[in-house]
Amino acid sequence: MRHNEKSEGPSVRVLRVGEQVRHVLSEILARGDVHDDVLAKHPVSVTEVRMSPDLRHATIFVKPLLGRDEEAVIKALRTNTAYLQREVAHRIRMKYAAKLKFLPDESFDEASHIDKLLRDPKVARDLGPAEGE
């Protein structure tokens, strides 16, 4: 590792560009700029964008409203990736148009699953105060 490299995670620039990409994609999807029947029927939240250190790749985590028809929404986004890449590159004016990769955001499902586990009476009993305390 060179002495000027950091191992703490993404740089401020990478995080800033990721947030810009998230805002641009959110705006495009909210305004209905993508002419796709599936995307027109399903509002989509862009929950996170992770940029590669060289800013050439963006992994976009999305969640359709109420989590309905997630597979169809992801497929529609992937079908329209070329258009979305052009729009993002045009609006952010980066040296290279980042390649976009759409993935479902599983964090809500994971949090819901953990919450459900913690509410289970057996787990709640185990987490409660020990008898005799």
Side-chain angles (χ1 to χ4, degrees):
M1 182 185 301
R2 287 178 266 166
H3 82 15
N4 62 347
E5 288 183 31
K6 297 177 185 151
S7 61
E8 290 106 38
S11 70
V12 172
R13 180 170 181 248
V14 169
L15 293 171
R16 183 176 45 81
V17 171
E19 193 59 17
Q20 285 178 313
V21 170
R22 190 180 74 76
H23 279 281
V24 167
L25 284 171
S26 294
E27 181 182 309
I28 291 168
L29 294 170
R31 287 182 24 199
D33 291 349
V34 182
H35 302 291
D36 185 285
D37 291 339
V38 173
L39 296 177
K41 293 176 189 168
H42 296 86
V44 178
S45 292
V46 180
T47 56
E48 183 182 359
V49 174
R50 293 184 193 159
M51 299 298 297
S52 64
D54 64 2
L55 303 177
R56 290 185 184 225
H57 299 274
T59 304
I60 294 100
F61 294 92
V62 297
K63 192 74 174 172
L65 190 65
L66 305 175
R68 290 195 314 237
D69 300 326
E70 187 170 76
E71 286 181 34
V73 168
I74 296 291
K75 185 178 179 197
L77 288 167
R78 290 175 179 163
T79 299
N80 291 285
T81 297
Y83 169 77
L84 292 166
Q85 282 177 185
R86 280 192 309 273
E87 284 299 306
V88 168
H90 174 72
R91 295 181 191 197
I92 295 183
R93 292 189 181 93
M94 293 174 29
K95 188 173 182 179
Y96 303 100
K99 298 243 185 285
L100 307 182
K101 179 181 179 184
F102 292 95
L103 295 175
D105 187 342
E106 306 292 342
S107 62
F108 296 106
D109 299 333
E110 290 171 18
S112 176
H113 178 70
I114 290 169
D115 188 54
K116 184 178 174 185
L117 287 173
L118 291 174
R119 291 179 189 278
D120 182 286
K122 294 175 194 165
V123 174
R125 183 188 66 225
D126 290 345
L127 293 176
E131 288 186 33
E133 283 187 26

